[in-house]
Every structure is written in C-alpha cells, then in structure tokens.
Amino acid sequence: DKLPTVPSPTPEPTPTPRPKMPPPTRIQIPSVGIDAPVVEVGYKIVEIQGVKVIEWEVAEYAAGHHNTSANPGEGGNIVITGHNDWKGEVFRTLERVKLGDEVILTSDAGVFRYRVTEIHYRKEVGVPLEERIATGRFLDPMPEERVTLVTCWPYGIDDHRIIVVAKPVG
C-alpha cells in the first residue's frame, strides 16, 4: 500500500507591519468614574528567591502605561497599571468594574474604545513565586489587541491583584 501523500505546508503569509502608534495619554472608565492621565513607565530587573524578574514602576497621580507594551491601534497587549489606595488612587474604583463596561483610551491618534471581557482576582502575597510569575503573564505581549489593567486589592491591604482585560469594540 502507498502511504497517503501530505501536501507540503504553505509558507505563512507575512503580516502587514502595523504602523507605530502613539502611547495612550488618558484612560476613562465612565461606569466607575475613572478618568486619569496616562504616563509612560519602565521597569527594573530584581531578584526574588534567586530568580530574576521584571518589576514595573507604578506611576504616581496617574495611570502608568508599560513602555514596552502595545499602544492603542497597534494590535497587541496595552498594559496600564495604577494605584488604588495611595499617590492619586487613580484605580480606586477599578474593583467595581463589570463585564461589558467600556474602557476608553485616548492618544494623539484619537479615541479607542474597548469592552471589559475578563476580570481576575489573583493572590499576590504569600503565594509561591511560580504563581506570582503566572499572574505576571497577563502583562506579556499578546497577538490580539487588548487592554490589560492592573491594580492592588483590597483597599489598604493590597495582597491581591485585580486584572481587568478589555477587547476592542467593533
């Protein structure tokens, strides 16, 4: 018997490179009263239990856009963090966000609208490093456009992270 022939794989089409877009400058979540400026933030490498990990800065009195994450309209993971209980409390009400709520990002390129599709509560204090690293995966580059919002929780205790994911409208 002859073995069935398998067609050779076709080469992947080269994606059209997306233009570099400007970073977000404002975030609004009308349903919970969030309206804050967005500034760029960077990171440093720190060692925890002998493992080198990225520790991101958190902006004071503003939301912080991770400077290596995507910008609105580029297609990718747009990561924005903010304090919930000090230095501006810009994400104080993020814990009240519900699925379907609108997230609006403004940049020099215009206004970009997203809808909340996921809300995660992840323990941060007193969990194994592997679990903390798994939580950090939400900040990784992603192929599809999305906004990932992160803050500490609960208010004044901060032993968890709230992670809110929103996808483009339309």
Side-chain angles (χ1 to χ4, degrees), residues 31-32 94-102 116-117 119:
S31 61
V32 297
L94 191 63
E95 66 187 48
R96 295 192 207 135
V97 161
K98 295 188 174 26
L99 294 175
D101 284 0
E102 187 174 46
V116 174
T117 57
I119 301 169

Side-chain angles (χ1 to χ4, degrees), residues 26 28 72-73 102-114:
R26 177 157 234 84
Q28 295 166 289
E102 187 174 46
V103 176
I104 304 164
L105 296 181
T106 304
S107 79
D108 289 346
V111 175
F112 299 83
R113 295 177 186 278
Y114 304 85

Side-chain angles (χ1 to χ4, degrees), residues 18-150:
R18 291 184 185 258
K20 180 80 176 139
M21 299 289 282
T25 55
R26 177 157 234 84
I27 182 169
Q28 295 166 289
I29 308 175
S31 61
V32 297
I34 291 174
D35 185 349
V38 178
V39 299
E40 295 293 283
V41 295
Y43 65 90
K44 60 186 179 204
I45 304 292
V46 297
E47 198 168 296
I48 300 175
Q49 298 170 18
V51 179
K52 287 188 178 352
V53 295
I54 291 173
E55 181 179 275
W56 282 94
E57 297 168 5
V58 180
E60 298 179 5
Y61 305 97
H65 173 248
H66 288 193
N67 65 5
T68 61
S69 74
N71 294 320
E74 281 181 357
N77 194 12
I78 304 157
V79 179
I80 300 176
T81 58
H83 288 299
N84 91 331
D85 60 6
W86 74 309
K87 297 199 175 178
E89 297 188 346
V90 295
F91 280 177
R92 172 69 190 98
T93 58
L94 191 63
E95 66 187 48
R96 295 192 207 135
V97 161
K98 295 188 174 26
L99 294 175
D101 284 0
E102 187 174 46
V103 176
I104 304 164
L105 296 181
T106 304
S107 79
D108 289 346
V111 175
F112 299 83
R113 295 177 186 278
Y114 304 85
R115 290 243 175 256
V116 174
T117 57
E118 301 170 32
I119 301 169
H120 303 270
Y121 293 81
R122 304 281 301 217
K123 192 151 174 42
E124 182 73 10
V125 176
V127 298
L129 182 60
E130 299 76 44
E131 200 169 320
R132 293 178 66 197
I133 289 170
T135 297
R137 297 268 177 256
F138 282 96
L139 313 181
D140 286 351
M142 310 261 174
E144 81 281 351
E145 181 140 345
R146 67 194 287 170
V147 178
T148 302
L149 307 175
V150 183

